[in-house]
Structure formats: C-alpha cells, structure tokens
Amino acid sequence: MRLNTKIITRRFMLREFLPEDVEQFVAYQTDPAFTIFHHQDELGDAHAQRVFQLFLDWQQSSPRYNYQFAISPLDDGSKLIGSCGIRTDGCVQGEAVFGVELARPYWGRYRYPQEISEALISWAFDELKLSAVIADTAFENTAVARLAESAGFVRTHAGDKQWWHLDRSAWIARGARQAG
C-alpha cells in the first residue's frame, strides 16, 4: 500500500519519493562536496542507488516505521533538492531519528534547512505522536550542529558522532515562545 504523504511549507513540498527521482538523488548523493562527512562505504553510485531503493521500499511497508521524503521547491515538484526523514525503526517506542540533507547548491540558502526541519518535526510530533526525536551529526559539521541547537535539540552524548535529543514538550514550549 503506497501512502501519498505531502508536507507543504511556505517554499517547499516534502513528498514521497518517485522512481523517476533516482537520477537527481544519485547526482547530489555522489557530489564530492556533499559527501565530505561520509564514510568510505557510503560513497558511489551503487550505494546511492541502494539507499534510494530502500526509501521506495519503506513506502510499501505496513506498518510503516520509516519516512524519507523528497524535498522539492513548491513551484517545481519534479525538482529534487534534498531529502529528509523520520525513522522509528530500531528506536525506543515514541522516539525517532530525524534528518535533513540538501544538495550542495542549496547549502546556506535563505534558512532552507530551518523551514524544512520545522515542518518535518511538527509533522512527526503531530501525525506520529512521537515523544522525542533524536539526531546525529559529524563533529566537523558545525553548520548542522547550529541547526540542531536552533531547533531546540540538546546535545546528549558523543561517540563517533554527536547525538542530539528534542522532547515533544520542549518543541511545544519553543512554539509557544515564538508565537508569543
């Protein structure tokens, strides 16, 4: 059963991946600038194609534990500028791993990741009724660490990566502060 989840922001549509997205996905996933924080086993066309197929397979899962969405500009739903996801598989009940990635030409652009993150986190708390979302970042990726902090995530621990945690109650309180 294929769901057709769409999350609309002011400038973007977060939508289910389509088979025809594969070429654009592989192109940004294999851009050397994009892969700067990736491990050797996460590089190359074959790896990107396997990941893409995994995202398509998740859409068919029932029950569904993982959601990975294509990010498209609102005015061009066929253009892929990145992906974002919420993955509950393997997590403590009520929690999920959160992530956003943008193709290199869209880094540092007009608060794109903030807008996308806010929409996806709100969707996850509202639709999936999560109690918390967690995320990881490479130590060297200071831009993503700043994004996590601006969204209200708290750094919890570090191993080979930094780990972040955001409680539903902190997210709701953040929204109330921004509205007031």
Side-chain angles (χ1 to χ4, degrees):
M1 178 178 112
R2 185 178 177 136
L3 300 175
N4 195 16
T5 302
K6 287 184 182 170
I7 302 167
I8 304 297
T9 75
R10 186 170 61 85
R11 298 178 288 184
F12 303 104
M13 176 182 4
L14 315 181
R15 61 170 175 77
E16 301 287 0
F17 274 100
L18 302 170
E20 54 267 27
D21 293 324
V22 68
E23 188 175 307
Q24 293 180 82
F25 181 81
V26 170
Y28 89 73
Q29 286 280 315
T30 56
D31 175 347
F34 178 84
T35 62
I36 192 166
F37 299 119
H38 289 86
H39 296 285
Q40 188 64 34
D41 62 344
E42 299 172 322
L43 303 176
D45 286 15
H47 179 265
Q49 289 175 3
R50 282 192 304 274
V51 170
F52 184 82
Q53 185 58 52
L54 180 65
F55 295 165
L56 292 179
D57 292 346
W58 285 348
Q59 293 175 36
Q60 305 302 320
S61 298
S62 182
R64 189 166 177 185
Y65 298 108
N66 299 313
Y67 298 83
Q68 193 73 24
F69 299 117
I71 302 170
S72 295
L74 202 49
D75 62 354
D76 185 356
S78 65
K79 183 176 184 179
L80 182 67
I81 67 164
S83 75
C84 58
I86 295 287
R87 303 170 184 182
T88 63
D89 193 25
C91 293
V92 173
Q93 180 146 2
E95 293 187 0
V97 174
F98 159 83
V100 173
E101 62 185 26
L102 293 174
R104 175 64 186 104
Y106 303 96
W107 292 358
R109 304 275 307 264
Y110 313 107
R111 299 185 45 81
Y112 285 6
Q114 290 87 346
E115 181 177 335
I116 293 161
S117 296
E118 287 174 7
L120 184 60
I121 292 168
S122 291
W123 177 84
F125 284 138
D126 294 345
E127 297 298 320
L128 302 180
K129 308 299 183 206
L130 297 176
S131 58
V133 290
I134 56 176
D136 65 80
T137 61
F139 283 103
E140 303 85 3
N141 198 340
T142 56
V144 174
R146 284 192 306 274
L147 174 63
E149 290 170 345
S150 74
F153 282 84
V154 175
R155 186 170 172 255
T156 58
H157 65 283
D160 60 336
K161 298 180 179 184
Q162 296 183 80
W163 287 90
W164 304 82
H165 188 270
L166 176 62
D167 283 319
R168 176 189 193 94
S169 58
W171 182 254
I172 292 169
R174 177 184 177 270
R177 281 191 309 274
Q178 288 179 338

